Amino acid sequence: MSGRRQKNQLELAFMAEDTGEAPRAAIEGTESLAAERGTESPAIGERLMEEVCERENCKQALKRVKANKGSPGVDGMTVNDLTGYLKQHWPAIREQLLSGTYRPQPVKRVEIPKPDGGVRKLGIPTVLDRFIQQAVMQVLQRKWDRTFSEHSYGFRPGRSAHQAVDAAQKYIAEGCRWCVDLDLEKFFDRVSHDKLMAKLAERVSDKRVLKLVRAFLTAGVMEGGLVSPVDEGTPQGGPLSPLLSNIVLDEFDRELERRGLRFARYADDCNVYVRSRRAGERVMESLKRFITTKLKLKVNEQKSAVARPWERKFLGFSFTNTGVPKRRIAPKAAGRFRERVRGLTRRTRGVSVERMAQDLARYLRGWIGYFGRCETPSVLEGLEQWTRRRLRSAIWKQWKRGPTRFAELRKRGVGKVLAAQTAGSAHGPWRLADSPGLHIALPNAYFDSLGIPRLTVRS
């Protein structure tokens, strides 16, 4: 079946909200099913699930899930399998959603290492559940997002981590040179289901949507072939979890606004900016009480602190201690960069220079997209020079020893005497990577030709 024909057939399956005989029959059939079970068709104000199942919303959700890719859940279904599965089963799935009988499958437990040590536990839903979560999230977000605090930047349309960092920089420039850095301990694992559902019920009257969201929260986790129940937390890994986290922390945002505090929050990463240490310590203690008693969450004492902004990091950035603060890359973020580049340019990887350059370029483009906003060029220049030296060292190792190295140097424009001195040197690859001979043989332009982007913008 051609891709166009498959797409058209799938769109027909998503036509339940359009006018016409077939869609009307689908709606009437669902209402008849509800009547048989002794339930009433939802009122107009309670028809949120109909919006979830609406064709354009589902098409958008499918497009997003496919774009995000990701690994299969417990059923093994891949993102590429989803379109065909929906084409065949969507009418039945839609009926279950509208009648409130849909049951999500358990999430698959996946552990990924954290940059600062330890592991982050993710819960990967099946691709079908990711699709349904995405469809629900889109409807809830359209109704909820415009009511969130202007100081909340995480997982929201038109907002970004860069905007949060800009806000923090502005507060510091205005004289708030003390930072209350709050870290919520295992936030996504500790969210109270009852408190979250109570918040949702304040604005969502469609019982089917509430029931579905709770079902996603309590679907359980499969680990080692066994399913464990879940009685708290919003599993990281599904499209719905970020929005639910913002709903939970909106109460926190409102409390900070009520107190007139300057703050920026991105998901569970929140910094408050004040003018003195004494004010910072007072704010820290009162906010810890609020988080513990009102939100039923816990502050990580080891990672939270009242300190100067240039002594802390916020979303990978820190700031200079100058009259006009500048964004700089936080030391830990720079360390993670070096660690990743070391892995990609490891001399024992056993890949060609072209493959090494391709992998490195892919990583650097993403890194530049985020950290390129650093306002301390010397740091970027240092990382750029260090990266090229790593590459020269790896290439020198590949050239092996003796005549091969001499021939490579001569072929690349190095004079006979210098080439002989370099090839015969007893120094190791790292030392020679900074030698005149290798700078001539492997100039910056050579790495440009391999497609490796520069970290700095040069005129």
Side-chain angles (χ1 to χ4, degrees):
M1 179 181 295
S2 69
R4 180 183 296 275
R5 184 180 175 191
Q6 186 182 49
K7 179 181 178 182
N8 290 341
Q9 290 197 6
L10 181 58
E11 287 184 0
L12 288 174
F14 287 154
M15 287 182 63
E17 293 302 305
D18 280 3
T19 58
E21 293 302 319
R24 184 161 55 248
I27 295 173
E28 289 172 353
T30 304
E31 292 173 345
S32 298
L33 179 65
E36 289 173 6
R37 295 178 177 174
T39 60
E40 295 180 358
S41 177
I44 297 299
E46 298 176 339
R47 297 180 70 89
L48 208 59
M49 189 63 82
E50 277 73 17
E51 291 187 43
V52 171
C53 297
E54 192 268 334
R55 182 182 63 170
E56 288 303 319
N57 187 59
C58 289
K59 286 170 60 179
Q60 183 183 349
L62 178 61
K63 182 178 179 180
R64 176 58 59 187
V65 169
K66 292 174 69 175
N68 288 341
K69 299 179 181 179
S71 59
V74 296
D75 62 355
M77 185 189 300
T78 67
V79 172
N80 293 333
D81 298 330
L82 181 58
T83 301
Y85 184 87
L86 288 174
K87 181 173 68 70
Q88 183 177 356
H89 298 284
W90 173 245
I93 295 168
R94 180 179 181 277
E95 180 179 289
Q96 292 174 21
L97 291 170
L98 292 176
S99 62
T101 59
Y102 183 83
R103 290 290 176 270
Q105 296 191 62
V107 299
K108 181 172 70 175
R109 173 68 77 211
V110 176
E111 294 184 350
I112 60 173
K114 289 184 177 180
D116 54 353
V119 295
R120 175 177 285 110
K121 293 184 177 182
L122 301 183
I124 308 300
T126 65
V127 291
L128 175 60
D129 285 339
R130 295 210 293 269
F131 162 73
I132 294 172
Q133 282 194 34
Q134 180 69 30
V136 172
M137 187 277 290
Q138 289 168 181
V139 171
L140 293 180
Q141 188 172 64
R142 285 196 293 267
K143 297 180 179 298
W144 220 295
D145 187 77
R146 61 181 179 270
T147 70
F148 285 146
S149 168
E150 62 176 303
H151 306 289
S152 168
Y153 297 91
F155 310 115
R156 297 182 60 191
R159 288 176 168 260
S160 68
H162 287 152
Q163 291 174 338
V165 174
D166 288 346
Q169 186 175 9
K170 177 174 175 287
Y171 296 142
I172 299 167
E174 291 172 349
C176 297
R177 300 202 162 216
W178 286 91
C179 170
V180 180
D181 188 354
L182 284 159
D183 185 276
L184 300 181
E185 186 173 307
K186 297 182 178 178
F187 167 72
F188 286 93
D189 298 331
R190 295 183 184 274
V191 171
S192 165
H193 288 175
D194 290 340
K195 191 167 182 62
L196 171 56
M197 294 308 302
K199 282 290 178 185
L200 278 173
E202 289 176 5
R203 303 192 200 179
V204 175
S205 57
D206 192 327
K207 299 281 194 295
R208 299 165 300 174
V209 172
L210 295 174
K211 183 179 178 182
L212 179 62
V213 171
R214 186 176 278 277
F216 278 123
L217 293 173
T218 59
V221 175
M222 179 173 284
E223 198 169 10
L226 299 175
V227 177
S228 303
V230 175
D231 55 10
E232 65 177 1
T234 60
Q236 295 184 74
L240 194 54
S241 183
L243 174 63
L244 297 180
S245 71
N246 276 334
I247 291 173
V248 169
L249 291 174
D250 186 56
E251 183 177 356
F252 182 57
D253 296 339
R254 297 306 176 191
E255 178 65 15
L256 294 175
E257 289 178 341
R258 188 186 66 79
R259 300 183 186 192
L261 294 170
R262 295 174 173 88
F263 72 98
R265 182 178 68 79
Y266 189 95
D268 58 337
D269 200 341
C270 181
N271 279 7
V272 182
Y273 295 87
V274 296
R275 294 183 181 275
S276 68
R277 174 184 284 277
R278 184 177 178 181
E281 290 173 347
R282 185 173 62 250
V283 168
M284 173 68 84
E285 289 306 312
S286 63
L287 290 181
K288 281 162 57 175
R289 285 195 300 271
F290 180 85
I291 290 168
T292 303
T293 59
K294 297 292 185 180
L295 301 183
K296 307 300 181 184
L297 297 170
K298 187 177 180 181
V299 174
N300 188 322
E301 299 283 355
Q302 292 183 333
K303 293 185 178 181
S304 301
V306 176
R308 295 292 196 177
W310 43 89
E311 297 172 349
R312 308 296 293 178
K313 64 179 178 67
F314 184 48
L315 303 175
F317 287 94
S318 188
F319 304 95
T320 60
N321 179 16
T322 55
V324 178
K326 294 182 179 180
R327 290 185 302 274
R328 65 181 178 89
I329 300 171
K332 285 187 177 180
R336 288 196 295 270
F337 172 89
R338 291 175 183 270
E339 183 180 347
R340 183 66 183 277
V341 172
R342 282 192 189 98
L344 292 171
T345 59
R346 194 172 60 249
R347 297 191 296 269
T348 56
R349 276 190 70 193
V351 299
S352 67
V353 174
E354 291 74 19
R355 172 63 187 276
M356 186 182 295
Q358 182 182 13
D359 294 343
L360 180 62
R362 186 182 302 112
Y363 170 68
L364 291 180
R365 280 192 291 269
W367 191 89
I368 293 168
Y370 187 78
F371 287 104
R373 288 171 54 87
C374 166
E375 294 176 329
T376 52
S378 61
V379 175
L380 292 175
E381 289 171 3
L383 292 175
E384 185 175 77
Q385 292 169 7
W386 177 85
T387 299
R388 287 197 293 262
R389 188 172 178 181
R390 287 285 309 178
L391 285 165
R392 291 189 180 102
S393 176
I395 294 170
W396 180 252
K397 186 72 173 180
Q398 288 190 3
W399 285 350
K400 299 180 181 177
R401 294 184 176 278
T404 302
R405 287 176 169 171
F406 177 78
E408 287 288 351
L409 291 169
R410 291 289 291 140
K411 182 173 66 177
R412 294 167 183 269
V414 181
K416 187 173 182 180
V417 174
L418 182 57
Q421 290 175 345
T422 306
S425 173
H427 293 306
W430 181 248
R431 175 80 175 268
L432 287 172
D434 201 31
S435 67
L438 280 184
H439 274 275
I440 294 172
L442 302 171
N444 296 347
Y446 169 71
F447 299 116
D448 292 341
S449 71
L450 290 176
I452 298 173
R454 300 196 181 198
L455 304 187
T456 56
V457 178
R458 301 174 187 273
S459 56

